[in-house]
Amino acid sequence: MTMLSRLFAPILIAATLIAATLPPAFAQEKASSDRVATPTSFLEACAEKIESRGRLRFCGEYFRDKLGTQADALLYLRDRITGLRASHEEAAQQKYDSFLSAIYIVAFLTIVSIVLVASDRRIKGTAKWASLATSAALFFMVGITALGWLGKYRAEYAAQVELGVLRDRIEAEAAQIIATGKDVTPEMVVEWTTELSAIGRRFAENYGDASPLPELDRFHITN
């Protein structure tokens, strides 16, 4: 028995060692498989969005996969900024179209009315001057309105650009956090939120100063 024990002991030890190493090997193989299946960069995670936009763009899935629950505040701010930026872009186009309409259509009709009044010989004396003054006043009001539309367009466009810059900053900083293995801190979220609030205040001031005529319905975008 002693010789048999000595003979089989090395075999038993080797078998035990092999059996002990099998689970970690399987685990490592599974982990490696998982890493391959999970996107390792935003180029992979956001490939569909990048292809549809024709340029490099981050997507929410990338931040959610990489940051987990830490991405909640980031994704909320990012979604809010995207919505506001789209609203400002649409409003800026509307204001610019209104500006062009005020310049090309109403101003043209006003000038025509001045020419007609001035060339009509049947209107004489005070009546002619009164008609000319009325036409000139209308032309002046058209000019003021057109400048107001232009100022509102500039306010909308400036807010659109600022929001785009802030969104790019948030995405770049979040990508850097992921690359360095750090966490999104409350201080960073507060800083981003503060900048978003500052953009809103600047827009309200610029929009309010653009024209003497109020347009309170425009500020419903902040609800």
Side-chain angles (χ1 to χ4, degrees):
M1 293 295 294
T2 303
M3 294 189 63
L4 289 175
S5 299
R6 291 178 180 177
L7 179 63
F8 286 106
I11 298 176
L12 291 174
I13 293 173
T16 302
L17 292 175
I18 293 173
T21 57
L22 285 178
F26 289 142
Q28 290 177 2
E29 183 178 355
K30 184 178 184 301
S32 176
S33 177
D34 292 341
R35 285 196 297 271
V36 172
T38 302
T40 57
S41 71
F42 87 95
L43 292 175
E44 299 176 49
C46 309
E48 182 176 350
K49 185 174 183 179
I50 291 172
E51 182 177 358
S52 63
R53 295 296 181 89
R55 62 185 187 277
L56 297 180
R57 287 301 311 170
F58 284 105
C59 58
E61 290 78 6
Y62 171 70
F63 296 116
R64 190 178 295 108
D65 292 342
K66 296 296 184 180
L67 295 174
T69 57
Q70 295 184 46
D72 288 347
L74 184 151
L75 291 176
Y76 171 79
L77 285 174
R78 185 173 175 273
D79 181 74
R80 181 63 170 161
I81 290 170
T82 300
L84 288 174
R85 187 179 183 278
S87 178
H88 283 296
E89 183 178 6
E90 180 181 0
Q93 184 62 50
Q94 293 175 354
K95 298 299 185 296
Y96 189 71
D97 291 340
S98 298
F99 167 74
L100 293 180
S101 298
I103 291 297
Y104 295 131
I105 299 177
V106 184
F108 173 76
L109 294 178
T110 304
I111 294 173
V112 169
S113 67
I114 294 175
V115 172
L116 291 177
V117 170
S119 62
D120 194 343
R121 296 180 178 180
R122 291 173 298 178
I123 304 176
K124 298 180 180 180
T126 305
K128 175 176 288 190
W129 287 109
S131 299
L132 289 174
T134 301
S135 299
L138 178 60
F139 181 77
F140 177 77
M141 289 300 298
V142 170
I144 294 296
T145 303
L147 291 177
W149 287 121
L150 182 60
K152 291 176 180 179
Y153 158 75
R154 288 173 174 170
E156 300 280 4
Y157 185 78
Q160 172 191 341
V161 172
E162 287 190 87
L163 288 170
V165 172
L166 177 59
R167 184 180 62 183
D168 290 343
R169 173 190 167 190
I170 291 176
E171 290 179 343
E173 291 183 358
Q176 183 65 18
I177 290 170
I178 294 172
T180 56
K182 297 180 181 179
D183 299 329
V184 176
T185 63
E187 290 76 15
M188 298 180 68
V189 176
V190 169
E191 185 178 356
W192 294 336
T193 306
T194 301
E195 180 58 28
L196 177 59
S197 300
I199 293 174
R201 285 194 299 271
R202 284 194 292 272
F203 166 70
E205 293 172 358
N206 294 334
Y207 197 90
D209 295 338
S211 173
L213 301 177
E215 189 181 348
L216 298 180
D217 290 342
R218 179 65 189 93
F219 293 93
H220 287 174
I221 63 167
T222 57
N223 291 342

